Every structure is written in structure tokens, then in C-alpha cells.
Amino acid sequence: MDVLKRNNVTVYGNGDKAILFAHGFGCDQHMWRFVAPAFTDAYKVVLFDHVGAGNSDSSAYNYYKYQSLQGYADDVLEICEALKLTGSIFVGHSVSSMIGVLASLKEPKRFDKLVLIGPSPCYINDEANGYVGGFSHTDIEGLLDSLDSNYLGWSSAMAPVIMGNGDRPELGDELKNSFCRTNPEIARQFARVTFLSDNRSDIQKLQTPSLLLQCSEDVIAPYAVGEYLHKHIPDSTLNVLAATGHCPNLSAPEETIKAIKAYLTTS
Amino acid sequence: MKEKNDKLVYQHFLDESFEDLYEHAPCGYFSSLPDGTIVKLNTTLAQWLGYHKTEILHQKRFQELLPIGGKIFYETHHAPLIRMQGSVNELSYDLVSKSGALLPVLINSSHVTDAEGKVVLYRSTLVNISDRKKYEAELLQAKKKAEQAAKTKAEFLSTVSHEIRTPMNAIIGVANLLQATDPSPRQLEYLRILKLSSENLLNLINDILDFNKIESGKISLEERPFNIRELLQHLIYNLLPKAEEKEITLTHEIDARLPSFLLGDPVKLIQVLTNLIGNAIKFTHTGSVTLRVQAIEVTSKDVVLEFKVSDTGIGIAADKIHKIFEEFSQADYEINLKYGGTGLGLAISKKLLALYNATLQVESELGKGSSFSFALKLPISDFQPESQQLVDLPHSHPGSLRGIKLLLAEDNSVNIFILSQYLKSWEVAFDVAEDGSEAIEKIRQHTYDLVLMDLQMPKLNGYDATRMVRNLPDEKFKKLPIIALSASSKFDLQQRLDYAGITDFIGKPFNPRDLYNKIALYSTATPQQAGNTSGSFSVETSILPPTDPSWHVNLNEFRKLTRHDTTQLTELIRLSIENFTSFQQNFKEALYTRDILLFEEVAHKSKMTLRSLEATRLSQLLDRATDLLQSGEQDTSMLAVASREISQEIDVIITELIAQIPDQPGNIS
């Protein structure tokens, strides 16, 4: 198995130290397009697609391996091994934040620092323990319905029409590379694994220093979750961005870049 | 001047109509800030949602109009996508209206940027797809219903077929049993029809089950090594009697380049070829049916084979050809009336071949004949299977008949092949004569213990050849056992057999055990090891299947005796098994030591049980053995055969008794 091919790994940039960007649920490595270029002078930039997303090899998808986030974390470590990376920087968006935490717990030498954008250790509310993740189980079922109507009901039939982006063919390509191309079954499973994951006990064991980038208003990872993480992750720094939504790397790339660089240079 | 005035008037309305078009368009419009805040929307959308415009403008973000699942989708898919590519097309959402009702829409959005390329606004168009959703839901419902109905039907068909199969097997079994009860010639003919009809019905049921299995995707191809030549030989051999019955020739031409061992599914291949050749025989009245197998392409790894079955039969009219592949359909109704059948055979064959991505081709001319062909690509097997489970070759057959020499008079090469296999495995020495005159010649020149004589041979047939042998001057030719081989039933031939002086008869396709027993019975030479091996006969026989799948015992009397009490019935069966085990030993000893008193004593003891159980065959065997002992027969081989047959029959009876021990109280069916 060629790991680099499996995860469609892209490497560029001039630095010795590597910075690895991991995309979140619903996207692929293209979501780093506004952020990653800012690091090419000082770092070796590593981008990849999770199996089932973007241009990864969907045939490598294995239901049992990817039934928990650990399977994705193992992929990250396999990429590190293939590229002989140690002491690198891990930047994870959304669900990939926890994937980075799990990878660091298993092989701490791989990453010196973690940058976690819009992280959440658990999306489901846990009333018994007074934890507010923001969602209930029913909400997740609603997401699965939404996925079904957009992946199965819509994109499979309509994708060819959208790709006929006559005047701007590059857009068609990009769309082709984004979620339309994700296998619907894998998307469903990834959604379940993501939103039903609970890594609250893992984060407390984390030894690697981390930066938590919290957006001002984020439905997926509300402020309370950022606070919870900051309280429970040893050696963590919480930075609340002015940006709203769940994707500051896309909606406010400058602010995101500035926050990451500030953390990497000062700490 | 007037024109100018007119223009001013409608220009005014034109400007107004832009606004009007926007507000009352049949689709919803809104504009939003990058964070989703809605800053403009048209009346249509406001009405769809049941809000007053002021309740939305600068008050609500687009994502706030979504149920929670849609919100997650928006944040994880929609927002990143539109940031990356500037637009999204036809995303499907349910919007939550003021009343809480859901409004299904498709959304197209694109960004509006300032001079520096910074995103200022998003403009979105919404299409109301409530109707489409309704249709979709109904279509889905209808589809599910149809699928469920088809599934239920298939399951019903399968259950019913299974249910019919069990009593059908019983009917055939009982017909077999009746045949062994010394029926009158007329009863025998009725029995023949009863059996034939039941077997046809059973075939039909099996076809339906097969077809159902394929339809529901429950059939898959096996891949195992098999000997293609042997398979084809056996196939022809098994179908020969059918052709001989109709007096048409069945020939085969097999490409010499054909590798022996291939990888594939021999059972399905046989099923297809049996069907095609069976059909060809069925629809041919004079002439021939030919199976041609050609290797079209041979590489070191695989081979492409073309199988072609041609006949000189009734043919199919050009406009009917397409119909023959349809399930439950034949070329026309007349065909069904005249020839019967379900019309499933070809449909099944076609579907089986489709599993190999092969198609069944047909060429036909009405009145001249038809030819069906298909090509299969099969890998060549590296290793040879140790035993061919598929074909019933005599590997599992016990006992040696070494020392016996016989003549096989048979013209058909396949029959010669099959018979040779058995004879070799029993270590019987034999010569082959391919027609009647050659047979007579060989019989004169050599000394044989026995002759196996095919009745249908070119030049000189089996009857005439036998008569001529009997008329040869030497006395020994009158005593020479000549056993006829024929596909016709013995009953039909009896007179002619007697007239020709034929000793006994074996039907085709023959039961290997019958052949073995007959050879042992009639050979005057004592097989070298017969005496020594007689002690181990019961061990050998236990691996032999019963000759006949029908029942050898009937428990009805036992059930009556025990008044259907399962505990008592179980006890009675258990006692009977014990008795049979000791009878078996006693009979063997008595025959081995030729102790007629012991034999008669045990036979007498067993008589009541045998009558209760209607163990007709065993009774007959005991009577025959008694006769043999009383006649002072000195030939050990004959006594050995008798002992073996008795022992074998008792084994079968014990097996049947064990199988019928009631397992649950109350269940004594």
C-alpha cells in the first residue's frame, strides 16, 4: 500500500521542519489553499486527503479501520512514517483536531506542536456530566438526511451539469475535487464517526503543547467547548478569533495565519 | 413627438417591472453578508416562509433558517465550498418557516466581490421543490412496494416448490418400491407412467427453484479444477439413452487442443449443456444431435471454448426466435401442447451463462434444425483434482474382480470409455468388440467368462449376435453368460431377450453396483480374492449408497402397534436395530459356512419383523439365498454376492430406522 498515493499526499515548501495540514469533515486538502501558502518559506508544507475524501484512494476504505477516529489518526502517523517526519507541526481543522490529538498520544515524537482549529472532543451533549457539546443524537440523524439528499439525491445526478462550468473550467475541477466526489457511503460513515466520537478522556493525557483556535460564533464547536478544552488539555493556549462560522481558514485566512504564526514563533 | 411620450410612459413601467419581477418571481431571492446575515429578500421567499420581511432583514442569518442537520451541512460543506469556488449550485435544503413547517428548496448562490476581490455579498436563488419531493417520495414508495412484492412472490414460489418437492420425492420413492413388489405387466406400465410423470414434475419444480435462485441473485459461480473431457464424456453418456430411445444419433466432436483440466463451475456447465442437448433431442425426430467443442483461443493461462449444440430437428421460425429465451415462454402454444415443458430451461441457461458474461447464440431454420452456441473463457488449472466428485467414476467402488475376463461388445466410444473405467478399477480383464460380427469372432477365438452385449450395434445387432453365438458348435457357447446392455426397459424386451438366448440384462445408464454384482454373479471363474475378502464385505458395503433412494422399510405397522406413542415407537425401533445387527452377523456366518440350518433359523426369526416393516427387498434376497444354499451351490462367489447384498440391505434398513426415530415427542411423521 502506497500511503502517499492512498491519502493523495502533496508536499511543497522550502523549510526543514514540516507543517502538516489535516482537513475536516466535508472538505479535502483544498480548504488550506488560502492558509498553506503562507508557510512555504519557513516550512515544508504537507497536505493530504482523508481516505474517502478528495482524490484519496476510496478503494482503501475499510469499514473496520475507519469506524473510529483512531483509524484516521493511524493514517496520519503512516504518512509521517512514509515522509520520515518527526518534531513537526500539526494543524487540524474540525474533526482533524482530535485526529491530531490521537496521533500525538500514540507517537508523541511526531509533532512538537498542535494547532487545533474549531476543535471539539465531543459533539453530543452529556447532561449527566454537565457537558454541552451542542448536539443531540437526533440532530446527527438530521445531518445524515441532509447528506443523503445532497450526496445521493442531488450530486450523483447533477454533478455532470455543474461540472460543465464553461467559462471557468477550473471551478468545475474544484467542485469535482470536493465533496461531490466523496463516496456517499463513506461520507455517511465519516459523519457518524465524527459526530458520535467522544475524546474527552484522551485530551487530558495530551503532552504536546497545543493552540486552540476558537471562532467567535461557531455552531459546530461553540465557545463553551473551546473553554472546556482549554481547561482539560494540559499546556494549551486558547485564542478566540474574530471570525465567525466553522471555517476561519476559509472565511478569515489572514487572521488564521497570523494566529498560527504568532503561536509558532512565540511559544 | 407622440412616440417619445409613449416611450416615457412605458419606460416608467419598465423600471417598475424590474422591481416587480424580483419581488414576485416564481423563485425566492435573497442577498446575505459573508456571515450569512440576510440583508435583502423578495416577497415570494418571505411568503413561502410565512415571515414579514422585517422579521428577517438584518435579523436572521440564512443558516438560522435551517434545521440542525442542515446547519451542520451548511457549516461543513456549503460554507467551505462557496468560499473556495465562489458559488454553489443546487444544494438541497429544508428551510424552517415561521410556522415550523419545512420548505424543501434547491439553492444556487454566488458571491459578489469588491474591487479588491474581497467578498461583500452572496446572492442566492431558491427553487421550491415541494412537489418534486412529493413525487420522489411517492416514486420511492412505489419502488419499495414493487420490490417487496417481487420478493414476497419469489419467497412464496420457493416455499411452495420446496413443499411440493418433498411429497414428490415420496411419490417417486413409493413408485420405486412398488416396482419391486412383483407387479403385473399392466401395473408395471402404470408404474412407469407414474414415475415418468412424477419425475417430469420434479424437474419442473427444480427448474422453478433454480430460476428463482438466479433471479434473487442467490446463485454464484464456483471455481474449482475439473476435467473437461471427462465431464463431456459423462454428459454424452448420460444423455445417450434418451437419443437411443428416439433412434437419433448423438455425437460429439471435441477439439484435440482442449486442455484437460480447467477452472470453473462444472455443475453449472453441465446444467447448461444438459439443457441444450436435452432440448435438441426433444425437438429432433430423425437425424442427429451434435455437441461440438472447439478451442478458439489457447494461451498458457486460459482457453476460450466454443460449445455448439446442433440438431436436425423441427427448428424455430425467425419471428419466434426471440421468444424462446423468455422465461415461462416457448416459441408458441402448439409447441407446449405437443412437447410439454416449462420454457424455463433456456431462460435458466441464459442466466447461468450471463454469470460468465457469456451469451447464448442461436441459429435456426424452421424444419431444418437449430444450433445453440456460446463461448466461455476459462482459466487452465495448474493442478489436477484428486478425485472427480462430479462424475460418478468407480474410485469409491470396493472389491476386485481380478481373474475374470470378459468381452465388451459396444460400438459407442463414450460407453466404452465409461465401462472401461469401471472394469479397470475392478481389475477385470476385457476385450472390446465394436460390432456384432467382431464380437462373434472374438468369442470364437478367446475364452471369456462373460460377455457384455450392447443390443443396438451397427452391422450385426446384439440379439442376432447372441443367437449366432448360441448356435456355434461347441457346447460352452450355449452356457456363456451374455448380459445385454440397453436403454430400453427390460420388460419391453423380455421376449426378444429370451428368444435370442440372452442371460440377463442391465439398463442404461447402468447402476455401477448392478454391473458389479452381475459380473460377479455370472462369472464362472472364481475371482482370486473373493473367498478371502468375503469377511470384510460389510465394511465395504457400508460406504455404498443404497441402489435406490426410495424407502426400504415402512413404519406404518410399527406406528399402529405402538398407537403412535413416540416413546414406545422409539423403543421398538431401537429393538429392531439391535435385532438386525445380530441377523446381519448370523446371515453372513451362515452363508460363509454354508450352514443351511442356521440360515433358515435366522430367516425364520426375522420373518415377522420383515413383514411388519414391509422390507420386501430383504425378504426376496433371503429367499434367493435360501434357494442358493438348498441347491448346494459350490461357487463361493455367488454366495459372497448373496451375503454382500443381504448385508448391504440390512445396512440400508438400519440407516432408515435410525433416520425415523422420532426426535420430539408427538412428532412421528
Side-chain angles (χ1 to χ4, degrees):
Chain A
M1 167 65 61
D2 183 352
V3 174
L4 302 183
K5 210 167 169 184
R6 177 189 69 191
N7 285 95
N8 186 29
V9 177
T10 321
V11 183
Y12 61 104
N14 309 314
D16 292 329
K17 204 176 172 79
I19 185 165
L20 185 136
F21 290 94
H23 70 83
F25 168 68
C27 297
D28 63 22
Q29 60 182 275
H30 283 89
M31 76 172 322
W32 299 110
R33 59 190 305 183
F34 305 128
V35 170
F39 293 86
T40 50
D41 288 344
Y43 296 91
K44 174 155 78 172
V45 169
V46 180
L47 300 172
F48 72 95
D49 296 330
H50 286 303
V51 170
N55 279 328
S56 66
D57 179 3
S58 288
S59 70
Y61 190 82
N62 172 326
Y63 182 87
Y64 294 100
K65 177 173 181 183
Y66 299 110
Q67 66 181 337
S68 79
L69 293 183
Q70 190 63 52
Y72 293 94
D74 290 346
D75 280 0
V76 168
L77 294 174
E78 284 166 25
I79 293 168
C80 289
E81 177 58 32
L83 297 174
K84 302 282 170 234
L85 303 183
T86 48
S88 315
I89 311 291
F90 178 89
V91 183
H93 172 241
S94 191
V95 66
S96 279
S97 300
M98 287 306 123
I99 290 170
V101 169
L102 292 173
S104 281
L105 288 177
K106 195 169 178 184
E107 292 182 23
K109 62 167 185 176
R110 295 296 180 189
F111 302 115
D112 277 354
K113 285 170 187 164
L114 305 180
V115 176
L116 312 178
I117 305 175
S120 173
C122 180
Y123 295 89
I124 308 282
N125 299 327
D126 176 9
E127 276 138 32
N129 290 301
Y131 174 82
V132 179
F135 299 96
S136 67
H137 277 278
T138 343
D139 298 341
I140 304 309
E141 290 306 314
L143 167 68
L144 295 177
D145 286 347
S146 196
L147 285 178
D148 279 351
S149 60
N150 277 291
Y151 277 89
L152 298 171
W154 163 80
S155 72
S156 53
M158 299 307 288
V161 178
I162 299 155
M163 282 168 205
N165 242 321
D167 48 342
R168 296 175 70 189
E170 76 280 3
L171 292 189
D173 264 358
E174 204 154 90
L175 192 60
K176 199 166 61 184
N177 291 333
S178 72
F179 74 83
C180 294
R181 272 286 284 272
T182 307
N183 177 315
E185 283 304 316
I186 299 180
R188 266 185 89 90
Q189 174 69 2
F190 194 19
R192 266 184 213 282
V193 170
T194 298
F195 288 98
L196 300 180
S197 64
D198 184 352
N199 300 104
R200 283 178 292 170
S201 59
D202 299 310
I203 52 169
Q204 306 183 11
K205 296 178 223 152
L206 188 65
Q207 297 301 313
T208 315
S210 58
L211 168 68
L212 313 173
L213 285 184
Q214 171 73 43
C215 286
S216 294
E217 285 176 62
D218 183 353
V219 182
I220 309 287
Y223 182 71
V225 170
E227 266 193 328
Y228 177 93
L229 284 167
H230 182 46
K231 195 173 148 193
H232 290 91
I233 302 181
D235 204 2
S236 64
T237 308
L238 177 64
N239 187 341
V240 181
L241 299 173
T244 59
H246 187 55
C247 302
N249 45 346
L250 284 165
S251 63
E254 292 83 5
E255 191 188 12
T256 309
I257 292 163
K258 218 171 117 187
I260 298 174
K261 279 191 172 169
Y263 176 72
L264 294 181
T265 48
T266 56
S267 63
Chain B
M1 200 61 181
K2 185 178 179 293
E3 252 180 36
K4 201 180 176 188
N5 274 341
D6 281 355
K7 196 179 176 187
L8 271 173
V9 173
Y10 71 71
Q11 189 63 49
H12 169 74
F13 283 101
L14 269 184
D15 290 345
E16 222 166 47
S17 73
F18 284 136
E19 195 57 29
D20 196 48
L21 277 175
Y22 176 82
E23 287 298 340
H24 300 287
C27 52
Y29 291 116
F30 73 87
S31 302
S32 54
L33 300 179
D35 73 351
T37 308
I38 296 173
V39 292
K40 187 178 181 184
L41 84 160
N42 70 348
T43 310
T44 310
L45 182 57
Q47 279 173 351
W48 281 350
L49 294 171
Y51 280 111
H52 194 271
K53 276 188 184 177
T54 52
E55 291 175 286
I56 292 180
L57 291 175
H58 300 282
Q59 305 294 313
K60 282 198 185 291
R61 293 184 204 176
F62 168 68
Q63 53 271 43
E64 286 166 31
L65 294 172
L66 302 173
I68 190 101
K71 275 196 183 91
I72 305 173
F73 184 81
Y74 176 85
E75 294 293 345
T76 54
H77 289 78
H78 183 150
L81 201 59
I82 199 163
R83 290 282 176 181
M84 288 195 285
Q85 62 185 31
S87 66
V88 294
N89 284 291
E90 303 209 359
L91 290 184
S92 162
Y93 282 107
D94 285 331
L95 299 186
V96 185
S97 61
K98 193 176 176 183
S99 69
L102 294 179
L103 173 74
V105 293
L106 285 182
I107 294 185
N108 286 352
S109 288
S110 56
H111 64 200
V112 181
T113 54
D114 63 12
E116 287 157 29
K118 200 168 169 244
V119 179
V120 189
L121 278 179
Y122 288 109
R123 280 197 194 126
S124 304
T125 313
L126 293 83
V127 181
N128 186 334
I129 54 164
S130 302
D131 288 346
R132 197 179 101 174
K133 282 263 169 175
K134 248 182 255 164
Y135 298 147
E136 264 179 23
E138 271 177 36
L139 275 176
L140 210 65
Q141 182 82 10
K143 185 172 171 258
K144 274 186 190 158
K145 249 189 191 166
E147 281 168 355
Q148 186 56 45
K151 208 178 143 214
T152 313
K153 204 174 85 184
E155 275 164 11
F156 173 75
L157 209 55
S158 164
T159 314
V160 169
S161 307
H162 272 293
E163 292 293 322
I164 298 172
R165 199 149 68 156
T166 314
M168 275 322 294
N169 276 322
I171 292 169
I172 294 169
V174 173
N176 282 334
L177 278 178
L178 276 174
Q179 264 183 336
T181 56
D182 218 358
S184 71
R186 188 196 277 184
Q187 286 170 330
L188 206 56
E189 177 60 11
Y190 292 165
L191 276 173
R192 194 183 64 79
I193 295 168
L194 176 64
K195 259 183 80 177
L196 191 73
S197 312
S198 339
E199 275 159 11
N200 280 343
L201 192 50
L202 195 62
N203 285 341
L204 159 67
I205 292 157
N206 287 336
D207 271 1
I208 293 174
L209 277 173
D210 263 1
F211 187 76
N212 229 12
K213 257 194 236 160
I214 304 172
E215 280 288 273
S216 52
K218 280 182 196 151
I219 275 193
S220 56
L221 289 177
E222 267 189 67
E223 192 167 89
R224 58 178 160 109
F226 68 99
N227 185 331
I228 178 88
R229 290 174 179 282
E230 216 165 82
L231 178 143
L232 294 170
Q233 300 271 24
H234 276 262
L235 179 72
I236 296 290
Y237 171 73
N238 282 320
L239 289 162
L240 261 178
K242 268 192 180 176
E244 281 179 7
E245 227 170 75
K246 293 190 74 178
E247 294 182 346
I248 54 178
T249 15
L250 174 57
T251 57
H252 62 289
E253 297 167 19
I254 295 171
D255 197 325
R257 292 181 305 157
L258 198 65
S260 286
F261 287 91
L262 298 175
L263 277 176
D265 194 326
V267 176
K268 306 224 166 53
L269 182 58
I270 283 194
Q271 200 178 346
V272 172
L273 288 173
T274 305
N275 178 259
L276 293 181
I277 299 172
N279 270 350
I281 294 172
K282 182 168 162 185
F283 293 113
T284 303
H285 302 301
T286 52
S288 63
V289 171
T290 309
L291 168 68
R292 208 167 278 129
V293 183
Q294 267 191 301
I296 302 176
E297 249 180 74
V298 187
T299 70
S300 59
K301 275 186 186 160
D302 42 38
V303 58
V304 179
L305 299 179
E306 194 200 47
F307 297 83
K308 191 171 204 163
V309 177
S310 317
D311 63 50
T312 57
I314 58 170
I316 308 154
D319 59 334
K320 302 265 171 66
I321 277 193
H322 64 280
K323 277 192 76 179
I324 58 168
F325 292 117
E326 288 169 19
E327 50 259 31
F328 306 107
S329 138
Q330 291 177 324
D332 59 44
Y333 183 63
E334 299 287 311
I335 293 288
N336 186 274
L337 279 184
K338 196 164 166 196
Y339 296 93
T342 55
L344 271 178
L346 278 178
I348 291 172
S349 298
K350 197 181 149 192
K351 280 176 198 263
L352 286 176
L353 287 174
L355 295 173
Y356 273 112
N357 291 323
T359 46
L360 190 55
Q361 310 283 344
V362 56
E363 285 167 39
S364 186
E365 200 177 326
L366 197 60
K368 293 252 173 86
S370 312
S371 93
F372 288 82
S373 61
F374 61 90
L376 282 189
K377 186 173 182 172
L378 294 172
I380 295 172
S381 172
D382 292 336
F383 63 98
Q384 305 182 354
E386 277 181 24
S387 71
Q388 285 296 104
Q389 293 283 315
L390 166 74
V391 282
D392 182 29
L393 269 184
H395 302 295
S396 63
H397 246 273
S400 163
L401 295 171
R402 197 186 297 162
I404 293 173
K405 188 167 185 203
L406 63 77
L407 176 70
L408 174 59
E410 167 69 76
D411 66 308
N412 185 287
S413 61
V414 178
N415 280 339
I416 294 173
F417 171 81
I418 304 279
L419 283 159
S420 310
Q421 298 291 311
Y422 285 102
L423 296 176
K424 278 181 203 155
S425 82
W426 298 328
E427 301 178 79
V428 173
F430 64 96
D431 292 329
V432 175
E434 296 197 13
D435 61 56
S437 338
E438 194 188 334
I440 295 171
E441 209 44 51
K442 287 222 159 108
I443 288 167
R444 281 165 64 160
Q445 287 168 10
H446 307 274
T447 304
Y448 297 109
D449 298 312
L450 181 89
V451 178
L452 292 174
M453 180 80 76
D454 178 33
L455 292 179
Q456 290 89 17
M457 276 188 299
K459 294 189 193 165
L460 191 61
N461 70 32
Y463 302 108
D464 297 340
T466 306
R467 219 173 15 248
M468 288 167 77
V469 169
R470 297 294 184 220
N471 290 333
L472 288 172
D474 195 325
E475 197 58 17
K476 71 174 184 179
F477 295 119
K478 303 219 164 15
K479 284 186 183 161
L480 176 65
I482 297 178
I483 301 175
L485 292 165
S486 171
S488 313
S489 79
K490 189 182 175 182
F491 169 71
D492 295 337
L493 304 174
Q494 197 59 59
Q495 273 193 325
R496 291 184 73 187
L497 292 177
D498 291 346
Y499 176 67
I502 285 168
T503 320
D504 205 340
F505 171 89
I506 293 177
K508 280 199 249 176
F510 63 89
N511 180 322
R513 208 179 64 186
D514 283 350
L515 179 66
Y516 178 92
N517 289 342
K518 293 241 156 101
I519 293 174
L521 188 64
Y522 291 108
S523 299
T524 47
T526 307
Q528 282 173 8
Q529 293 173 338
N532 302 334
T533 52
S534 60
S536 64
F537 269 163
S538 67
V539 181
E540 294 164 8
T541 49
S542 63
I543 58 167
L544 281 176
T547 329
D548 192 328
S550 63
W551 306 319
H552 292 231
V553 289
N554 186 341
L555 286 186
N556 284 345
E557 191 67 28
F558 273 20
R559 293 201 179 98
K560 266 187 232 158
L561 278 172
T562 56
R563 299 203 176 113
H564 293 265
D565 180 299
T566 43
T567 322
Q568 281 195 37
L569 178 64
T570 309
E571 181 60 14
L572 190 55
I573 294 178
R574 203 185 54 73
L575 276 173
S576 307
I577 292 171
E578 259 178 38
N579 284 340
F580 274 116
T581 315
S582 81
F583 293 159
Q584 192 175 31
Q585 198 51 42
N586 291 340
F587 286 138
K588 211 183 285 174
E589 276 175 31
L591 285 167
Y592 192 62
T593 55
R594 292 182 209 171
D595 186 344
I596 186 161
L597 288 178
L598 175 64
F599 192 88
E600 278 178 340
E601 189 198 328
V602 183
H604 188 75
K605 250 200 269 177
S606 66
K607 215 164 187 175
M608 266 302 289
T609 316
L610 294 190
R611 197 180 295 160
S612 300
L613 288 173
E614 297 177 25
T616 333
R617 183 166 148 79
L618 184 56
S619 301
Q620 287 171 345
L621 288 174
L622 293 180
D623 291 345
R624 210 185 293 168
T626 311
D627 291 345
L628 206 60
L629 282 170
Q630 281 173 342
S631 73
E633 176 61 58
Q634 294 299 306
D635 186 352
T636 45
S637 77
M638 287 187 76
L639 288 173
V641 167
S643 170
R644 172 196 299 230
E645 281 181 341
I646 291 167
S647 187
Q648 213 165 278
E649 184 62 19
I650 293 178
D651 276 338
V652 172
I653 289 172
I654 291 176
T655 313
E656 283 189 16
L657 286 174
I658 292 172
Q660 296 191 68
I661 292 176
D663 45 3
Q664 290 158 6
N667 175 14
I668 48 164
S669 58

